Short mmCIF file of all heavy atoms in Angstrom, two decimals:
data_model
loop_
_atom_site.label_atom_id
_atom_site.label_comp_id
_atom_site.label_asym_id
_atom_site.label_seq_id
_atom_site.Cartn_x
_atom_site.Cartn_y
_atom_site.Cartn_z
N LEU T 58 -4.75 27.69 4.74
CA LEU T 58 -4.38 28.83 5.56
C LEU T 58 -3.06 28.58 6.30
O LEU T 58 -2.95 27.63 7.09
CB LEU T 58 -5.48 29.12 6.58
CG LEU T 58 -5.26 30.31 7.52
CD1 LEU T 58 -5.23 31.62 6.73
CD2 LEU T 58 -6.35 30.35 8.59
N ASP T 59 -2.06 29.42 6.01
CA ASP T 59 -0.79 29.39 6.75
C ASP T 59 -0.21 28.00 6.90
O ASP T 59 0.21 27.58 7.99
CB ASP T 59 -0.97 30.01 8.15
CG ASP T 59 -1.45 31.45 8.10
OD1 ASP T 59 -1.09 32.14 7.12
OD2 ASP T 59 -2.18 31.88 9.01
N ARG T 60 -0.21 27.24 5.80
CA ARG T 60 0.33 25.88 5.88
C ARG T 60 1.83 25.92 6.12
O ARG T 60 2.55 26.66 5.48
CB ARG T 60 0.03 25.10 4.60
CG ARG T 60 0.41 23.63 4.71
CD ARG T 60 -0.02 22.86 3.48
NE ARG T 60 0.77 23.21 2.31
CZ ARG T 60 1.98 22.70 2.05
NH1 ARG T 60 2.54 21.85 2.90
NH2 ARG T 60 2.62 23.06 0.96
N LYS T 61 2.28 25.07 7.04
CA LYS T 61 3.69 25.01 7.40
C LYS T 61 4.29 23.68 6.98
O LYS T 61 3.61 22.65 6.98
CB LYS T 61 3.86 25.21 8.91
CG LYS T 61 3.31 26.53 9.43
CD LYS T 61 3.44 26.61 10.95
CE LYS T 61 2.92 27.94 11.47
NZ LYS T 61 1.48 28.13 11.20
N THR T 62 5.55 23.69 6.64
CA THR T 62 6.25 22.47 6.28
C THR T 62 6.20 21.48 7.44
O THR T 62 6.44 21.84 8.59
CB THR T 62 7.72 22.78 5.93
OG1 THR T 62 7.77 23.71 4.85
CG2 THR T 62 8.46 21.51 5.53
N GLY T 63 5.87 20.24 7.12
CA GLY T 63 5.84 19.20 8.14
C GLY T 63 4.50 19.00 8.80
O GLY T 63 4.33 18.08 9.60
N GLN T 64 3.51 19.84 8.47
CA GLN T 64 2.19 19.67 9.05
C GLN T 64 1.53 18.39 8.57
O GLN T 64 1.71 17.99 7.42
CB GLN T 64 1.28 20.84 8.66
CG GLN T 64 1.33 22.03 9.60
CD GLN T 64 0.30 23.08 9.21
OE1 GLN T 64 0.15 23.43 8.04
NE2 GLN T 64 -0.44 23.57 10.19
N ASN T 65 0.78 17.76 9.46
CA ASN T 65 -0.03 16.62 9.06
C ASN T 65 -1.29 17.11 8.35
O ASN T 65 -1.72 18.26 8.54
CB ASN T 65 -0.42 15.78 10.27
CG ASN T 65 0.74 14.97 10.81
OD1 ASN T 65 1.77 14.83 10.16
ND2 ASN T 65 0.57 14.43 12.01
N ILE T 66 -1.89 16.23 7.58
CA ILE T 66 -3.10 16.59 6.83
C ILE T 66 -4.19 17.08 7.77
O ILE T 66 -4.89 18.05 7.48
CB ILE T 66 -3.60 15.39 6.01
CG1 ILE T 66 -2.55 14.98 4.96
CG2 ILE T 66 -4.93 15.71 5.32
CD1 ILE T 66 -2.83 13.64 4.30
N ASP T 67 -4.33 16.41 8.92
CA ASP T 67 -5.40 16.79 9.84
C ASP T 67 -5.07 18.04 10.65
O ASP T 67 -5.89 18.48 11.46
CB ASP T 67 -5.75 15.62 10.77
CG ASP T 67 -4.60 15.20 11.66
OD1 ASP T 67 -3.46 15.65 11.43
OD2 ASP T 67 -4.82 14.41 12.60
N GLU T 68 -3.90 18.63 10.42
CA GLU T 68 -3.52 19.89 11.07
C GLU T 68 -3.66 21.08 10.13
O GLU T 68 -3.60 22.23 10.56
CB GLU T 68 -2.08 19.81 11.56
CG GLU T 68 -1.84 18.76 12.64
CD GLU T 68 -0.37 18.57 12.97
OE1 GLU T 68 0.49 18.82 12.09
OE2 GLU T 68 -0.07 18.16 14.10
N VAL T 69 -3.81 20.80 8.84
CA VAL T 69 -3.88 21.87 7.84
C VAL T 69 -5.25 22.53 7.89
O VAL T 69 -6.29 21.87 7.79
CB VAL T 69 -3.60 21.32 6.43
CG1 VAL T 69 -3.79 22.40 5.38
CG2 VAL T 69 -2.18 20.75 6.35
N LYS T 70 -5.26 23.84 8.03
CA LYS T 70 -6.50 24.60 8.12
C LYS T 70 -6.92 25.11 6.74
O LYS T 70 -6.09 25.36 5.87
CB LYS T 70 -6.34 25.79 9.07
CG LYS T 70 -5.92 25.41 10.48
CD LYS T 70 -6.93 24.49 11.16
CE LYS T 70 -6.52 24.16 12.59
NZ LYS T 70 -7.45 23.20 13.22
N ILE T 71 -8.22 25.27 6.57
CA ILE T 71 -8.78 25.81 5.33
C ILE T 71 -8.85 27.33 5.44
O ILE T 71 -9.19 27.88 6.50
CB ILE T 71 -10.19 25.23 5.09
CG1 ILE T 71 -10.11 23.71 4.97
CG2 ILE T 71 -10.82 25.84 3.85
CD1 ILE T 71 -11.46 23.04 4.95
N ASP T 72 -8.54 28.01 4.37
CA ASP T 72 -8.62 29.47 4.33
C ASP T 72 -10.07 29.87 4.07
O ASP T 72 -10.53 29.89 2.94
CB ASP T 72 -7.71 30.02 3.23
CG ASP T 72 -7.61 31.55 3.29
OD1 ASP T 72 -8.37 32.16 4.06
OD2 ASP T 72 -6.77 32.11 2.55
N GLU T 73 -10.77 30.19 5.13
CA GLU T 73 -12.18 30.53 5.02
C GLU T 73 -12.40 32.01 4.73
O GLU T 73 -13.55 32.48 4.70
CB GLU T 73 -12.92 30.13 6.31
CG GLU T 73 -12.84 28.66 6.65
CD GLU T 73 -13.63 27.77 5.69
OE1 GLU T 73 -14.16 28.29 4.68
OE2 GLU T 73 -13.71 26.54 5.94
N ARG T 74 -11.33 32.78 4.50
CA ARG T 74 -11.49 34.18 4.13
C ARG T 74 -12.05 34.32 2.73
O ARG T 74 -12.53 35.38 2.34
CB ARG T 74 -10.15 34.91 4.24
CG ARG T 74 -9.58 34.96 5.67
CD ARG T 74 -8.18 35.52 5.69
NE ARG T 74 -7.26 34.67 4.94
CZ ARG T 74 -5.95 34.92 4.82
NH1 ARG T 74 -5.43 36.00 5.39
NH2 ARG T 74 -5.18 34.10 4.14
N LYS T 75 -11.95 33.23 1.95
CA LYS T 75 -12.48 33.21 0.60
C LYS T 75 -13.71 32.32 0.57
O LYS T 75 -13.74 31.27 1.23
CB LYS T 75 -11.43 32.67 -0.37
CG LYS T 75 -10.10 33.40 -0.29
CD LYS T 75 -9.05 32.68 -1.15
CE LYS T 75 -7.69 33.34 -1.02
NZ LYS T 75 -6.65 32.63 -1.81
N ASP T 76 -14.73 32.72 -0.20
CA ASP T 76 -15.92 31.89 -0.32
C ASP T 76 -15.70 30.84 -1.41
O ASP T 76 -16.36 30.83 -2.44
CB ASP T 76 -17.14 32.76 -0.64
CG ASP T 76 -18.45 31.99 -0.45
OD1 ASP T 76 -18.39 30.81 -0.04
OD2 ASP T 76 -19.52 32.57 -0.72
N TRP T 77 -14.74 29.94 -1.13
CA TRP T 77 -14.38 28.94 -2.13
C TRP T 77 -15.49 27.93 -2.35
O TRP T 77 -15.62 27.37 -3.44
CB TRP T 77 -13.09 28.23 -1.70
CG TRP T 77 -13.21 27.48 -0.41
CD1 TRP T 77 -13.00 27.96 0.85
CD2 TRP T 77 -13.61 26.11 -0.27
NE1 TRP T 77 -13.23 26.96 1.77
CE2 TRP T 77 -13.61 25.83 1.12
CE3 TRP T 77 -13.95 25.10 -1.17
CZ2 TRP T 77 -13.95 24.58 1.62
CZ3 TRP T 77 -14.29 23.85 -0.67
CH2 TRP T 77 -14.29 23.60 0.71
N ARG T 78 -16.32 27.70 -1.33
CA ARG T 78 -17.42 26.76 -1.48
C ARG T 78 -18.39 27.22 -2.56
O ARG T 78 -18.80 26.43 -3.43
CB ARG T 78 -18.16 26.57 -0.16
CG ARG T 78 -17.39 25.78 0.90
CD ARG T 78 -18.20 25.73 2.20
NE ARG T 78 -17.55 24.91 3.21
CZ ARG T 78 -16.57 25.33 4.00
NH1 ARG T 78 -16.10 26.58 3.85
NH2 ARG T 78 -16.04 24.54 4.92
N ALA T 79 -18.76 28.48 -2.52
CA ALA T 79 -19.68 29.02 -3.53
C ALA T 79 -19.06 28.94 -4.91
O ALA T 79 -19.74 28.62 -5.90
CB ALA T 79 -20.04 30.47 -3.19
N SER T 80 -17.77 29.22 -4.99
CA SER T 80 -17.07 29.16 -6.28
C SER T 80 -17.05 27.74 -6.83
O SER T 80 -17.36 27.50 -8.00
CB SER T 80 -15.64 29.69 -6.11
OG SER T 80 -14.91 29.54 -7.31
N HIS T 81 -16.69 26.77 -6.00
CA HIS T 81 -16.64 25.37 -6.43
C HIS T 81 -18.03 24.88 -6.81
O HIS T 81 -18.20 24.16 -7.80
CB HIS T 81 -16.07 24.49 -5.31
CG HIS T 81 -14.58 24.64 -5.14
ND1 HIS T 81 -13.81 23.71 -4.49
CD2 HIS T 81 -13.73 25.62 -5.55
CE1 HIS T 81 -12.55 24.10 -4.49
NE2 HIS T 81 -12.48 25.26 -5.12
N PHE T 82 -19.02 25.25 -6.00
CA PHE T 82 -20.39 24.81 -6.27
C PHE T 82 -20.84 25.29 -7.65
O PHE T 82 -21.44 24.52 -8.42
CB PHE T 82 -21.33 25.37 -5.20
CG PHE T 82 -22.73 24.82 -5.26
CD1 PHE T 82 -23.08 23.71 -4.51
CD2 PHE T 82 -23.69 25.41 -6.06
CE1 PHE T 82 -24.38 23.19 -4.56
CE2 PHE T 82 -24.98 24.90 -6.13
CZ PHE T 82 -25.33 23.79 -5.37
N GLU T 83 -20.52 26.53 -7.98
CA GLU T 83 -20.95 27.08 -9.26
C GLU T 83 -20.20 26.44 -10.43
O GLU T 83 -20.79 26.17 -11.49
CB GLU T 83 -20.75 28.60 -9.28
CG GLU T 83 -21.26 29.29 -10.54
CD GLU T 83 -22.75 29.06 -10.80
OE1 GLU T 83 -23.49 28.70 -9.86
OE2 GLU T 83 -23.17 29.24 -11.96
N VAL T 84 -18.92 26.17 -10.27
CA VAL T 84 -18.16 25.50 -11.32
C VAL T 84 -18.75 24.11 -11.57
O VAL T 84 -18.93 23.69 -12.73
CB VAL T 84 -16.66 25.38 -10.95
CG1 VAL T 84 -15.93 24.46 -11.93
CG2 VAL T 84 -16.01 26.75 -10.93
N ILE T 85 -19.05 23.39 -10.50
CA ILE T 85 -19.63 22.06 -10.63
C ILE T 85 -21.02 22.13 -11.28
O ILE T 85 -21.34 21.34 -12.17
CB ILE T 85 -19.71 21.38 -9.24
CG1 ILE T 85 -18.30 21.08 -8.72
CG2 ILE T 85 -20.53 20.10 -9.29
CD1 ILE T 85 -18.23 20.70 -7.26
N ARG T 86 -21.82 23.08 -10.84
CA ARG T 86 -23.17 23.23 -11.42
C ARG T 86 -23.10 23.51 -12.91
O ARG T 86 -23.83 22.90 -13.70
CB ARG T 86 -23.92 24.36 -10.70
CG ARG T 86 -25.41 24.44 -11.06
CD ARG T 86 -26.07 25.64 -10.42
NE ARG T 86 -25.65 26.87 -11.08
CZ ARG T 86 -26.18 27.34 -12.22
NH1 ARG T 86 -27.16 26.68 -12.81
NH2 ARG T 86 -25.75 28.47 -12.74
N GLN T 87 -22.22 24.41 -13.31
CA GLN T 87 -22.10 24.74 -14.73
C GLN T 87 -21.56 23.56 -15.53
O GLN T 87 -22.00 23.32 -16.66
CB GLN T 87 -21.16 25.95 -14.90
CG GLN T 87 -21.74 27.27 -14.45
CD GLN T 87 -22.87 27.75 -15.36
OE1 GLN T 87 -22.97 27.38 -16.52
NE2 GLN T 87 -23.76 28.58 -14.80
N ALA T 88 -20.62 22.81 -14.97
CA ALA T 88 -20.01 21.69 -15.68
C ALA T 88 -21.04 20.61 -15.98
O ALA T 88 -20.97 19.94 -17.02
CB ALA T 88 -18.86 21.10 -14.86
N TYR T 89 -22.02 20.42 -15.08
CA TYR T 89 -22.98 19.32 -15.23
C TYR T 89 -24.41 19.80 -15.46
O TYR T 89 -25.36 19.08 -15.21
CB TYR T 89 -22.91 18.42 -13.99
CG TYR T 89 -21.54 17.79 -13.82
CD1 TYR T 89 -20.75 18.08 -12.72
CD2 TYR T 89 -21.02 16.96 -14.81
CE1 TYR T 89 -19.48 17.53 -12.59
CE2 TYR T 89 -19.76 16.41 -14.69
CZ TYR T 89 -19.00 16.70 -13.58
OH TYR T 89 -17.74 16.16 -13.46
N LEU T 90 -24.51 21.01 -15.97
CA LEU T 90 -25.83 21.61 -16.19
C LEU T 90 -26.71 20.74 -17.09
O LEU T 90 -27.93 20.66 -16.90
CB LEU T 90 -25.65 23.00 -16.82
CG LEU T 90 -26.80 23.99 -16.68
CD1 LEU T 90 -27.19 24.20 -15.22
CD2 LEU T 90 -26.43 25.32 -17.33
N LYS T 91 -26.10 20.06 -18.04
CA LYS T 91 -26.86 19.22 -18.98
C LYS T 91 -26.79 17.73 -18.64
O LYS T 91 -27.26 16.89 -19.40
CB LYS T 91 -26.34 19.44 -20.40
CG LYS T 91 -26.55 20.88 -20.90
CD LYS T 91 -26.07 21.04 -22.34
CE LYS T 91 -26.31 22.46 -22.83
NZ LYS T 91 -25.85 22.63 -24.24
N ALA T 92 -26.22 17.41 -17.49
CA ALA T 92 -26.11 16.01 -17.09
C ALA T 92 -27.44 15.52 -16.53
O ALA T 92 -28.18 16.28 -15.89
CB ALA T 92 -25.01 15.85 -16.04
N PRO T 93 -27.75 14.23 -16.71
CA PRO T 93 -29.04 13.71 -16.27
C PRO T 93 -29.23 13.66 -14.75
O PRO T 93 -30.37 13.65 -14.27
CB PRO T 93 -29.09 12.30 -16.87
CG PRO T 93 -27.67 11.94 -17.14
CD PRO T 93 -26.99 13.23 -17.49
N TYR T 94 -28.12 13.65 -14.01
CA TYR T 94 -28.23 13.53 -12.56
C TYR T 94 -27.60 14.73 -11.85
O TYR T 94 -26.98 14.60 -10.80
CB TYR T 94 -27.60 12.22 -12.08
CG TYR T 94 -28.29 11.01 -12.65
CD1 TYR T 94 -27.80 10.38 -13.80
CD2 TYR T 94 -29.46 10.51 -12.08
CE1 TYR T 94 -28.46 9.28 -14.35
CE2 TYR T 94 -30.12 9.41 -12.61
CZ TYR T 94 -29.61 8.80 -13.75
OH TYR T 94 -30.26 7.71 -14.28
N LEU T 95 -27.82 15.91 -12.43
CA LEU T 95 -27.29 17.14 -11.85
C LEU T 95 -27.77 17.32 -10.41
O LEU T 95 -26.98 17.68 -9.52
CB LEU T 95 -27.72 18.34 -12.68
CG LEU T 95 -27.44 19.72 -12.07
CD1 LEU T 95 -25.94 19.98 -11.97
CD2 LEU T 95 -28.12 20.83 -12.89
N ASP T 96 -29.05 17.08 -10.15
CA ASP T 96 -29.59 17.30 -8.81
C ASP T 96 -28.89 16.43 -7.77
O ASP T 96 -28.64 16.87 -6.64
CB ASP T 96 -31.09 17.02 -8.78
CG ASP T 96 -31.89 18.09 -9.53
OD1 ASP T 96 -31.31 19.16 -9.82
OD2 ASP T 96 -33.07 17.85 -9.82
N ASP T 97 -28.57 15.18 -8.15
CA ASP T 97 -27.85 14.31 -7.22
C ASP T 97 -26.49 14.88 -6.87
O ASP T 97 -26.06 14.86 -5.70
CB ASP T 97 -27.67 12.91 -7.84
CG ASP T 97 -28.97 12.12 -7.88
OD1 ASP T 97 -30.04 12.73 -7.70
OD2 ASP T 97 -28.91 10.90 -8.11
N VAL T 98 -25.79 15.38 -7.87
CA VAL T 98 -24.47 15.97 -7.65
C VAL T 98 -24.56 17.15 -6.71
O VAL T 98 -23.79 17.26 -5.73
CB VAL T 98 -23.84 16.41 -8.99
CG1 VAL T 98 -22.58 17.25 -8.74
CG2 VAL T 98 -23.49 15.21 -9.84
N LEU T 99 -25.49 18.05 -6.96
CA LEU T 99 -25.60 19.26 -6.14
C LEU T 99 -25.99 18.93 -4.71
O LEU T 99 -25.52 19.58 -3.77
CB LEU T 99 -26.60 20.23 -6.77
CG LEU T 99 -26.22 20.75 -8.17
CD1 LEU T 99 -27.23 21.78 -8.66
CD2 LEU T 99 -24.80 21.33 -8.19
N CYS T 100 -26.82 17.91 -4.53
CA CYS T 100 -27.18 17.48 -3.17
C CYS T 100 -25.96 16.94 -2.42
O CYS T 100 -25.76 17.25 -1.23
CB CYS T 100 -28.26 16.42 -3.22
SG CYS T 100 -29.91 17.07 -3.56
N LEU T 101 -25.13 16.16 -3.11
CA LEU T 101 -23.92 15.62 -2.50
C LEU T 101 -22.96 16.74 -2.11
O LEU T 101 -22.40 16.75 -1.01
CB LEU T 101 -23.22 14.67 -3.46
CG LEU T 101 -23.84 13.27 -3.59
CD1 LEU T 101 -23.29 12.56 -4.82
CD2 LEU T 101 -23.56 12.45 -2.34
N VAL T 102 -22.75 17.67 -3.03
CA VAL T 102 -21.83 18.78 -2.77
C VAL T 102 -22.35 19.63 -1.62
O VAL T 102 -21.59 20.02 -0.72
CB VAL T 102 -21.63 19.63 -4.03
CG1 VAL T 102 -20.79 20.87 -3.72
CG2 VAL T 102 -20.97 18.81 -5.13
N ASP T 103 -23.64 19.92 -1.62
CA ASP T 103 -24.23 20.72 -0.55
C ASP T 103 -24.10 20.02 0.79
O ASP T 103 -23.82 20.65 1.82
CB ASP T 103 -25.70 20.99 -0.87
CG ASP T 103 -26.31 22.00 0.08
OD1 ASP T 103 -25.81 23.13 0.17
OD2 ASP T 103 -27.30 21.65 0.77
#
Side-chain angles (χ1 to χ4, degrees):
L58 181 65
D59 300 329
R60 188 175 70 82
K61 300 177 179 63
T62 301
Q64 272 186 314
N65 287 346
I66 297 168
D67 63 348
E68 296 172 333
V69 175
K70 302 299 182 184
I71 299 171
D72 188 351
E73 300 291 6
R74 296 172 298 181
K75 307 173 184 178
D76 193 2
W77 62 271
R78 288 177 176 82
S80 175
H81 286 199
F82 189 93
E83 184 59 20
V84 170
I85 292 167
R86 190 185 73 82
Q87 288 291 336
Y89 298 116
L90 202 55
K91 296 183 179 180
Y94 298 96
L95 170 66
D96 289 346
D97 287 14
V98 170
L99 297 184
C100 284
L101 283 165
V102 174
D103 189 58

